[in-house]
Structures are given as C-alpha cells and as structure tokens.
Amino acid sequence: MSKCCLYCRVDGTSTESNRLAINQQLTVLRSLARQLGFSISTEMLQYESGLDANRQSIRTLIRDARHGVYGRVLVMNGDRLARDAEGLAAIGEKLTAAGIRVYCPDGEMSVSHQSECLTELFIPILLRLDLSQGFTEGFLGQH
C-alpha cells in the first residue's frame, strides 16, 4: 500500500473559519486516500501564504518524502501548493526530483513541467473567476 501525505493549506492564521476550511480539505483528502488505497502517514495542516515556493512546509514535505515517509501527496488543488505559476513550477520541479506523485480529487496531477502545471492546476482557479463581479467569494475567502 502506498503511503501518502495529506497537504492542507489556507492563507492566514488559525481562525475559526480557517480551521473549518482545513477540516473540509482533510475530510475530502482522507476520503480520496481511501478511494486510492493509500495509507495516510502524515497530515500537514498549514496556515500560511502560498506565495513563497521555498517555505518551510514545502521543504519538510520534500525532506520527509526523500526519507521514505511517503511517496504520494494529496492536495485539494494546485493552488494549495502555490499561488502563482512561477512558484508552482519551482515546487513541481522539487517534487518531481524527489519522486513525489501528487493527487487531487480529479486524479493524478503532473507537476513536472510549467506548461502542464498551468493547464492542469491553474485552470480550476480561473474557472472560479466571475469577471463581471470580480472574484467570487470562495476564491478570495480561502487562499
């Protein structure tokens, strides 16, 4: 059975609404792990910005994978790993080099090339935009 890490992140501090958002991510990802037949070895709950591609949680994620703690990472979507294309490309290169495979509820994600990252990971973000009203509340409410 493949071992996995559930990576949940929201932007900001551990407020009641952010804890609720983290718990919603956990619920979905725990179910996904069961569906995929993965054993959960770690749950990373992060209250931090996704703009820094070299943040401590990403370094820990990669270090633990290199030490064999897990080989799969489950995230709700690509914007939980990074908030911009450049950061996602940098993180994707590190994850790929460490042999980590990334999954979301829509399936396995390719994070090895920037163009694939943009297509597979950021399209869901763009679909949440309402150009006539600005950003939707869900997009602004949980970074």
Side-chain angles (χ1 to χ4, degrees):
M1 179 177 282
S2 295
K3 296 182 286 183
C4 72
C5 169
L6 307 184
Y7 186 86
C8 303
R9 185 191 64 76
V10 294
D11 189 18
T13 60
S14 181
T15 63
E16 184 177 340
S17 63
N18 281 345
R19 286 189 299 274
L20 178 61
I22 287 280
N23 285 330
Q24 290 171 337
Q25 290 179 45
L26 273 174
T27 298
V28 171
L29 295 178
R30 285 173 179 156
S31 175
L32 178 61
R34 280 190 302 276
Q35 290 172 6
L36 295 172
F38 295 166
S39 168
I40 300 170
S41 62
T42 304
E43 295 179 347
M44 292 183 72
L45 313 178
Q46 302 301 314
Y47 298 91
E48 63 188 7
S49 170
L51 292 175
D52 180 5
N54 196 36
R55 62 190 184 273
Q56 183 60 49
S57 65
I58 297 298
R59 292 193 311 266
T60 300
L61 188 72
I62 292 165
R63 181 203 64 211
D64 290 352
R66 286 188 173 144
H67 286 114
V69 177
Y70 44 78
R72 312 288 185 261
V73 173
L74 280 57
V75 295
M76 283 299 296
N77 52 51
D79 69 354
R80 298 302 87 205
L81 293 173
R83 295 299 290 171
D84 60 39
E86 183 179 318
L88 187 58
I91 291 169
E93 287 177 23
K94 294 174 187 177
L95 294 173
T96 299
I100 300 170
R101 294 170 67 178
V102 181
Y103 295 81
C104 71
D106 292 331
E108 185 170 1
M109 298 188 304
S110 174
V111 291
S112 60
H113 300 292
Q114 184 173 356
S115 62
E116 292 177 71
C117 291
L118 288 172
T119 302
E120 294 181 21
L121 304 181
F122 279 94
I123 292 299
I125 295 170
L126 295 174
L127 292 175
R128 287 186 266 174
L129 296 176
D130 179 350
L131 299 179
S132 66
Q133 301 289 319
F135 296 108
T136 64
E137 182 179 327
F139 183 77
L140 290 176
Q142 298 176 14
H143 299 298

